[in-house]
Amino acid sequence: MSQWTPVCDLEQILPATGVCALVNNQQIAIFRPRQDSELFAISNIDPFAQASVLSRGIIAEHEESLWVASPLKKQRFRLSDGYCMEDASRSVAAFPVRVNAGKVEVCA
C-alpha cells in the first residue's frame, strides 16, 4: 500500500538539482528544476546501465517538457512520467511528490 513518506525539507534540494531518497526500499530521484516548489520524482535506477545515477543527471527542457539526462549514457527521461525518449520500453517509474508544511513527501 502506498503512503506519503517525508524525505527532507524543501530548502535542502537546491533549484536545478536532484537528490536521491530511499522510500519503501526503492531509490527515488527527486528533482527541483526551478526556484519554486515544483517537484518531480522518478526511479533513480538508470535502466540502460543498471546504476543508481539518475538523481545526478542534468535537467533540461525539450518540447515544453522537463527531462533528465542520465550522467552515464545520456538517455533522457521525462520528469513528469519517467518516459524514456530514446527507448519507451526502458521508461522508469514516476511517483507522486508534494511539499507539505515545508517537507518534501513522496508517495511510493
Side-chain angles (χ1 to χ4, degrees), residues 44-103:
N44 191 47
I45 309 298
D46 179 334
F48 292 89
Q50 294 303 311
S52 305
V53 296
L54 292 183
S55 64
R56 295 182 298 203
I58 297 171
I59 300 170
E61 191 165 351
H62 176 71
E63 295 181 357
E64 299 181 24
S65 292
L66 291 169
W67 301 77
V68 63
S70 171
L72 296 178
K73 298 187 177 187
K74 309 302 183 233
Q75 286 88 358
R76 291 158 289 182
F77 300 89
R78 189 165 44 211
L79 294 182
S80 61
D81 60 7
Y83 176 81
C84 179
M85 183 185 295
E86 288 75 20
D87 183 350
S89 72
R90 300 233 185 157
S91 297
V92 298
F95 301 90
V97 61
R98 69 183 183 189
V99 178
N100 184 14
K103 298 276 187 196

